[in-house]
Amino acid sequence: MSRTIPVGLGARAYEVVVGAGLLEDAGARLKPFLKTRRAAVVSDETVWALHGARLSAALEREGVQALPVVVPPGEQTKSFEGLADLSDRLLALELDRGDLVVAFGGGVVGDLAGFAAAIYKRGIDFVQVPTTLLAQVDSSVGGKTAIDTPRGKNLVGAFHQPRLVLADLDVLATLAEREMRAGYAEVIKYGLLGDFGFFEWLEANGPKVLAREPDALSRAVARCVEMKAEIVAHDEKEQGRRALLNLGHTFGHALEAETGYGAALLHGEAVAAGQALAFRFSAAQGLCPAQDARRAAAAIAAAGLPTTLAEVPGHPFSAERLVRHMAQDKKAEAGRLTFILARGIGDAFVAKAVDQAAVRDFLIAEGAQP
Ligand code: GLY
């Protein structure tokens, strides 16, 4: 059983397929997008060892030659060096514009392979086969591709929409518990930003989603993709509403920058804490009932995710340094901070020109050092 969700982007429209057992028919599903019979499958060592043989076999069953390009796992691969290495390996395969790049992995692989596809010979088609919950509900959909630089995350990149996204729920069976919870932070984000009913459903069914019960997992992933597809279709280049998807990310990115983008704090964990902070900041500004901020944090904490600075490795943080990271974020315009704040659960909005001093005072009240 699978569900197909269209992303309505005119000439760049595509479908996201969510369901079990999709790797097995990947060959048949990819074939319509192949002008030749070759696909470079970019993956990381972990995903490739677990699932590579199944994907290769599925492609080859349909007469498609799978050319594996396996990269080291981890955020450090999403760098200029990683991009140069991947581009060189695609060139060595003599990949041309009729061939296809398949991004087979989590957010790192999707972002890196997608960006490489965007610039390889000025652009080559690619397909996303996301293998983490986070990539399935967020990063594989919408065409954002990027690498990190020493100055911050995702600062160099391109919008390059995939031709297809295959979100196979079966591959989540091998995902580490911690990665599953980190991805769940992005699931809950959709409820918090724009669907109170979904949030309530998650309050009741979150444990089933985390336990990977097929029906609950399928419903959660499909609802997130549906919301993302709708937002992206109306605002592909993030001129407006798409920014809502960054709920929790301004606080979260600052925490990631302070902890070094490593295993100490996963992106989803940073976003979890960031969302609780964004709700409490909204309440502190008199924008949102304190009760909603407490309820949002309780739902995040119930998934075993951090909701306070004290739970983030590296605490106590310097409020000054956190605010400086926020000011460097690419979403900051002319020195003013842009945040996604909330009027309540399911009702987020873009707040421009947020006062830096108010953020600093709030962080100090949250336990950061002056
Ligand atoms: N992950 C946020 C976006 O795709 O816009």
Side-chain angles (χ1 to χ4, degrees), residues 251-311:
F251 285 112
H253 280 165
L255 293 171
E256 282 185 280
E258 279 297 275
T259 48
Y261 304 110
L265 182 67
L266 301 179
H267 175 66
E269 294 166 345
V271 167
Q275 292 182 99
L277 289 165
F279 264 81
R280 281 200 295 279
F281 182 61
S282 303
Q285 297 288 295
L287 299 163
C288 159
Q291 191 190 331
D292 282 29
R294 280 194 294 274
R295 190 169 169 184
I300 296 166
L305 289 160
T307 58
T308 61
L309 292 181
E311 292 167 89

Side-chain angles (χ1 to χ4, degrees), residues 3-366:
R3 288 203 36 202
T4 298
I5 298 150
V7 185
L9 282 170
R12 292 178 306 291
Y14 55 97
E15 291 179 337
V16 182
V17 188
V18 177
L22 298 180
L23 277 196
E24 268 61 40
D25 19 284
R29 291 184 186 271
L30 255 64
K31 239 170 143 179
F33 303 98
L34 276 160
K35 296 179 200 83
T36 64
R37 288 297 169 116
R38 288 168 15 119
V41 183
V42 181
S43 191
D44 71 30
E45 285 150 10
T46 313
V47 170
W48 189 253
L50 286 167
H51 307 292
R54 266 197 310 143
L55 181 61
S56 288
L59 295 179
E60 307 221 331
R61 270 199 302 279
E62 293 293 324
V64 177
Q65 190 189 3
L67 308 163
V69 185
V70 181
V71 301
E75 190 76 27
Q76 63 283 359
T77 300
K78 245 182 81 174
S79 59
F80 274 114
E81 294 75 23
L83 178 68
D85 176 65
L86 174 55
S87 304
D88 187 58
R89 291 165 74 186
L90 296 178
L91 288 164
L93 291 173
E94 296 180 5
L95 214 64
D96 66 38
R97 286 214 197 114
D99 301 324
L100 196 65
V101 170
V102 178
F104 183 42
V108 166
V109 162
D111 279 8
L112 176 71
F115 187 35
I119 58 175
Y120 182 86
K121 298 190 178 172
R122 300 199 177 91
I124 179 172
D125 284 350
F126 88 115
V127 164
Q128 290 268 20
V129 185
T131 58
T132 63
L133 181 60
L134 187 140
Q136 294 192 351
V137 299
D138 191 28
S139 58
S140 68
V141 181
K144 277 190 182 175
T145 74
I147 55 170
D148 305 333
T149 88
R151 291 183 189 278
K153 271 186 75 144
N154 298 329
L155 290 179
V156 175
F159 285 97
H160 187 51
Q161 299 293 343
R163 300 298 309 276
L164 175 73
V165 182
L166 290 183
D168 185 345
L169 302 172
D170 285 346
V171 297
L172 300 182
T174 55
L175 195 63
E177 196 59 44
R178 187 177 170 203
E179 292 282 350
M180 193 69 194
R181 281 198 299 272
Y184 186 80
E186 302 274 0
V187 172
I188 212 161
K189 178 184 83 176
Y190 289 93
L192 290 173
L193 76 87
D195 187 346
F196 180 68
F198 182 48
F199 174 83
E200 279 191 308
W201 182 85
L202 287 171
E203 282 184 317
N205 295 283
K208 291 187 192 158
V209 175
L210 288 165
R212 297 161 235 209
E213 284 189 21
D215 288 349
L217 190 58
S218 157
R219 180 162 168 185
V221 174
R223 179 63 192 135
C224 296
V225 170
E226 213 171 66
M227 287 182 72
K228 178 137 193 190
E230 194 269 329
I231 291 171
V232 166
H234 288 94
D235 182 20
E236 182 183 10
K237 299 275 171 75
E238 200 171 301
Q239 306 297 306
R241 270 180 76 207
R242 183 166 180 167
L244 297 179
L245 296 167
N246 299 324
L247 176 63
H249 283 59
T250 305
F251 285 112
H253 280 165
L255 293 171
E256 282 185 280
E258 279 297 275
T259 48
Y261 304 110
L265 182 67
L266 301 179
H267 175 66
E269 294 166 345
V271 167
Q275 292 182 99
L277 289 165
F279 264 81
R280 281 200 295 279
F281 182 61
S282 303
Q285 297 288 295
L287 299 163
C288 159
Q291 191 190 331
D292 282 29
R294 280 194 294 274
R295 190 169 169 184
I300 296 166
L305 289 160
T307 58
T308 61
L309 292 181
E311 292 167 89
V312 176
H315 169 77
F317 295 95
S318 147
E320 199 61 51
R321 286 177 60 94
L322 290 175
V323 171
R324 212 173 310 137
H325 287 303
M326 293 172 190
Q328 276 169 2
D329 199 279
K330 63 186 173 308
K331 281 140 205 146
E333 279 170 27
R336 296 172 308 177
L337 300 180
T338 297
F339 277 86
I340 310 308
L341 299 181
R343 296 187 192 89
I345 292 173
D347 188 9
F349 67 98
V350 183
K352 298 216 170 212
V354 172
D355 181 24
Q356 294 200 14
V359 179
R360 199 171 40 244
D361 291 350
F362 167 75
L363 287 169
I364 292 166
E366 287 280 331

